[in-house]
Amino acid sequence: EIFTNFGNISWFLLSFTTVLPIVFELYLWLTTFPKLNTYYSQGPKIKFTRPFLILILVLGLVSVFFMGLIPFYLFWLLWVSIIPALAVPMILANWWTPFDSIGKDGNWTQIMLIAIATLITGFFWEFWNYGSEVFHGFAPTNPNYWIYSIPFLDKFRPFSQMPILGYFGYLFFGVV
């Protein structure tokens, strides 16, 4: 059974890696629109001091912990806690992040265009999932098909297995 789980996990990871280049390509395409490049360029400037970053990192890690304890009510933390848990260590290590331009000059363009690119990709990703339902009957372990169970949001599914409000989670995933 361990090899089956290892194989499934490997297949899931491989399937997800096909999405990252698409997000990057969509982001680059969105940067070709001059109005999008200037629309978010004059946002609020946030100073990322070391104590502020440590506080955000601790809040992110604590939220991940509590999300595991109370997943039904804190499911939404999956969307937002990943940002401080992954981005803050990168900032503290002086690695590039999309947040760099926010701290320097209040330019939110990179963050916003990455979020929009991820949302667009997520939209099509969910169509891919919905279409692969046909093959789920042939291979019940089809890694390209999943059904969401999101507390409080499972009400409205107009065109995919993702509830409509669930799409907002994609805005956060691409940022990191």
Side-chain angles (χ1 to χ4, degrees):
E1 184 171 313
I2 190 166
F3 294 111
T4 303
N5 288 338
F6 178 77
N8 285 341
I9 290 170
S10 299
W11 187 250
F12 294 154
L13 290 173
L14 179 63
S15 296
F16 186 71
T17 60
T18 62
V19 174
L20 298 177
I22 296 168
V23 171
F24 185 69
E25 290 295 326
L26 272 173
Y27 164 76
L28 291 176
W29 178 67
L30 290 171
T31 62
T32 65
F33 294 91
K35 287 190 178 192
L36 284 177
N37 278 321
T38 58
Y39 188 78
Y40 302 108
S41 64
Q42 302 298 315
K45 186 177 178 180
I46 298 175
K47 183 143 174 87
F48 297 115
T49 64
R50 187 169 182 80
F52 176 72
L53 289 171
I54 300 284
L55 174 68
I56 296 298
L57 176 61
V58 168
L59 289 174
L61 294 174
V62 167
S63 69
V64 168
F65 174 76
F66 280 106
M67 179 186 58
L69 287 178
I70 316 167
F72 187 80
Y73 292 104
L74 299 178
F75 68 92
W76 56 273
L77 287 174
L78 176 63
W79 296 335
V80 294
S81 62
I82 195 169
I83 294 173
L86 295 177
V88 170
M90 292 172 62
I91 294 169
L92 291 172
N94 289 322
W95 292 357
W96 177 88
T97 70
F99 296 96
D100 290 350
S101 59
I102 294 172
K104 290 177 186 166
D105 56 6
N107 186 351
W108 289 68
T109 302
Q110 288 177 335
I111 291 286
M112 296 304 293
L113 294 186
I114 290 170
I116 293 167
T118 309
L119 179 63
I120 294 169
T121 303
F123 181 76
F124 288 107
W125 178 281
E126 295 307 328
F127 269 123
W128 175 20
N129 175 46
Y130 192 69
S132 69
E133 180 181 17
V134 171
F135 303 105
H136 188 66
F138 302 116
T141 58
N142 179 1
N144 299 319
Y145 177 70
W146 55 92
I147 298 174
Y148 293 94
S149 177
I150 303 174
F152 313 111
L153 300 180
D154 271 348
K155 307 296 181 223
F156 187 55
R157 298 171 186 246
F159 44 77
S160 69
Q161 293 295 351
M162 171 70 83
I164 195 72
L165 291 176
Y167 281 97
F168 289 105
Y170 279 105
L171 293 170
F172 298 96
F173 280 130
V175 173
V176 178

